[in-house]
Each structure stands twice: as structure tokens, then as C-alpha cells.
Amino acid sequence: MTIQKNLAVLLAILFLGTASLSAQCTNWEEIANKGEAEDAHVVYRPYLKDKTAADVEALAESDFNLAFSNWEKAYTLAPAADGQRPTHYIDGIILYKAKTAKTEDTEQKAEYSKVIMKLYDEYLECYPDDSKLILGRKAFDMFYSHGYGYTLETLEALQAAMEAAGNESEYILLDPLGLTLVYLYQDGQIDKATVRDLYTKAVEFADHNIENDHYYKDYYVSGKANMDAKIGEIASEVFDCDYFKGDLLPTFAEHKEDWETVNYIWNKLMAQGCEETDPELAELKATYDELALTERMKDPCFAGSVYQKEGDYDKALASYQECIDSTEDPEIKAQILFSMASILTWQKGQYGEANAKAREAASLKSGWGKPYMLMGDIISKRATACDDWNRRLAAIAAIDKYSYARSIDADVASDAGTRISRLTAALPGREDGFMRKVSEGQSVTVSCIGETVKVRFRD
């Protein structure tokens, strides 16, 4: 910053400070040199009337300087103008915004911002009836001013504006509030409760004006959307179930048939601590369950298990076969083959095919006893069609399967032991073997079940 610039800013601050200390609410009806103040007002005012800061910035340099110097004089003599309107404060804010835009010097911009905030404060002190509007304008300008921006001071200004105006708060506060809350929260300067409190107040005044068709309704809608989008970055950390219900259930109501939407909403609510038994979520849960089942039924592996539970075994077998054909995962194949073998054994009575499926399942997963347990059960089932001698030899074959299952898989050891105990009494007697010239340890084919066993006797 050059010496000249420093001096210019310093003089601006000093002159404002002196003016406020003397009589910042003085109007020209109260001073001896009223005419001088009025004349300065009349000279500068046409350059500012109905103009924005951008319009004033665009003035020719000579016109700008003329306007500024006469505003400065009018403001110094009579800050409150005629005492009926805050013209000098508003025009001063516009002029200093234009000066801010005219310079590239960030330090000077920051000093001009301080002057603007001082003018707002004087305005509010002298014309307190305008506080609902002006506190909001001050907060908005503070957010976009050098030296303020994402600060606690800006947040306090936004809060003060909302508290003063309530549902009359302007839409211009929404976007800055969202940005400031997220920044300060992520920076550790405010807590969750502060975010929730101020966000809730903002939503209340936005919704009020949207629902009541405010003239600027569309701006409230877009402002709220911008605020929500920003708050979404921290929503999962800050808000509880009720917030997310209010945010997501209206979306569910519009997209009840869309699985991706329903799935997202349900899982998001569960992740935010909502209870499945919450009455407000009853319809969502029912829809989620229905769509989830429909979606999962597209997976033939899952569909097969559903059909099996429902007792539709032909559909179950067809789906399971489709599952096997569609996967290369040996674990999945093993489990599905075992399920098919179980259906073929217990529901279809197709023991030969069931046995083949059980063997294939066992070959795909080592240390798994269940397929061998099923093979033993299949042998017992098939043995009912054998004569007495072969039924007893079949008992040996079944016990061998159970014994092997027990030796490789502790999870089936207890069941295997029970089956072995039950079948031990069904082994052939030594006398029966003698009569058939069959000795202990001899390999014998059990023709009715297609198994070969080493003979052993129960006595």
C-alpha cells in the first residue's frame, strides 16, 4: 500500500470516527449551516439516485470525485440528512462499495469494508425502525467484504439479522449462511448445535416465504437449495434422524417405485439412527422390503433360496442351475449344489442325481462335512429298497460317510455321532457273514446302492 493510499484510508476512518463521536445522528434541521449541507446533498445526489454500486463505479472519474466529495461534506455536516430518511448512510455505503471495486489493493479493500460496516452501524443507531432490513443487508455485505467473509463476526451478523427479521428475513441470507456454517464447523470454530440452530431458523423463514408465495418466492427456493447443497457436506455429522426424515421422506413420496431412490433413503435413515419401527417410516419400510425382494429376485442364486423356502422346488432347481451357470465362484457353486442335492433327496426322491450333486459340492470345498452327511442320508434312503443283507451292508456305507464327515468337520461331529450310534445296531451279524462266506474286512459291492464297503460285523 502506498503512503498516499494509506493516508487516504486513514483520513476516511478518522473523518467517520470524528463525525460519529460528535453527533452521528445530526440532521440539517439541527445545524446552523443547514444550507451548506443541503447544497452538498443536492450536488452529489443525482449521481447516486437509483444507482447501484456498479453504476457508481462506472461513473467518469471526475463525476465520481465530485459526487464523493460532496457526499462527504453533506454526511459530515448532517449524517442523518433531513432526519426523515437514511440517505447519507445508504449513499455512503454505495460509494465505498464502488471505491472497493475500483482498487486492487487488498489492504485498502479491507479498510473500505470497515468503513461500510461503520456506516451500517450508524444507520441502525439513527434509524432503528429499519433494523429488520438493514441488519440483513449488513450481514450480506459483510460476507462478501474483504476482512470479514468466513468469520465468526459474519456469522454473528447473519444470526442477528435472522433474529431481528424472523420470517421477514431476506433470501439473500441463505447462501452466505450455508457457506459460513460449513466453513466454521469444519474449521472447529462452531459446534453441531450451532449449525443445527441457525440452519433450522433459516429453513423456517425460507419455507414461510415459499409457502406464502412471496414476491421473491423463486429466490427463496434457489437460496434454500444452495444452502442445503452446502450443508449436505456436513449433514451426516451434524443432524439426527428427524432432520433426514424431513429432508428425504418427501423425495420418497415422489419416487416410490424407483429402487435406487428408495434404497438410498432407507439406508441413509438407518445410518442416521432412525428406528425401523418408527411409525413415520412404515410405508417406506414396506416399499423398501417389496422392492428389495423384487431386486434380489433378479439374482438366480437368491431366487432359488426363496423358491425353496416357499416349496416351489422345480423353480428352485431351475434357478439354482442358472446360478451355477452364471458364476465361477467355487464357494457359491458348492453351496448351491448342496441345496440342489438336498431338494433332490428330500423332496424329489432322485437319489442318484442327488448323490452326484453332493459329491460335486464336496469336491469344491475342502473340510466341509455336510455333503458327506447328505451322502450318508442318501444311502440310508436308497437302502430301503434293498434286501435285508444289503440293507445291513448299506449301513456300513452310510456309517463310513458319517465317520468321514466327522473326521473333517467339527461342525457336524455331533450329528454324525448320533447317526452312527443309531446305525451300529443295523450292521450285519457275524453269523450272517459266515453263512454267505463273507469275512470281516472283505470288500463287497452293495449292488442296490452302487457302493463298495469293507465288511465289519456288529458282534
Side-chain angles (χ1 to χ4, degrees), residues 107-168:
E107 291 184 28
Q108 193 168 53
K109 286 178 182 288
E111 293 300 335
Y112 288 156
S113 295
K114 292 179 182 178
V115 175
I116 291 170
M117 294 308 128
K118 185 175 180 63
L119 286 166
Y120 270 120
D121 290 340
E122 292 178 0
Y123 179 170
L124 288 164
E125 183 173 340
C126 298
Y127 293 93
D129 289 345
D130 293 350
S131 61
K132 287 184 179 181
L133 175 69
I134 298 308
L135 280 170
R137 299 294 174 89
K138 176 189 176 184
F140 178 83
D141 282 345
M142 183 178 287
F143 177 76
Y144 290 104
S145 295
H146 286 75
Y148 295 97
Y150 297 87
T151 63
L152 284 171
E153 189 174 358
T154 298
L155 184 63
E156 289 167 0
L158 290 164
Q159 181 177 5
M162 289 191 295
E163 289 177 351
N167 286 337
E168 295 178 46

Side-chain angles (χ1 to χ4, degrees), residues 159-186:
Q159 181 177 5
M162 289 191 295
E163 289 177 351
N167 286 337
E168 295 178 46
S169 298
E170 290 189 282
Y171 64 85
I172 60 173
L173 301 181
L174 296 167
D175 202 8
L177 180 66
L179 292 165
T180 305
L181 286 173
V182 172
Y183 177 86
L184 293 176
Y185 173 76
Q186 291 179 332

Side-chain angles (χ1 to χ4, degrees), residues 308 313-314 316-318 320-321 324 336-360 374 377-378 381-382:
Q308 184 175 0
Y313 301 112
D314 289 334
L317 289 169
Y320 281 148
Q321 187 60 53
I324 290 172
I336 297 303
L337 284 164
F338 178 78
S339 295
M340 295 178 77
S342 296
I343 293 173
L344 290 167
T345 300
W346 304 108
Q347 279 77 40
K348 307 297 285 186
Q350 297 175 15
Y351 303 123
E353 189 177 352
N355 194 62
K357 299 289 187 189
R359 286 183 180 278
E360 189 178 354
L374 183 57
D377 293 341
I378 291 171
K381 282 281 190 181
R382 297 176 76 177

Side-chain angles (χ1 to χ4, degrees), residues 7-17 68 72 96 112 115:
L7 182 59
V9 173
L10 179 61
L11 287 174
I13 298 291
L14 286 174
F15 118 77
L16 282 171
F68 185 83
E72 192 172 44
Y96 271 96
Y112 288 156
V115 175

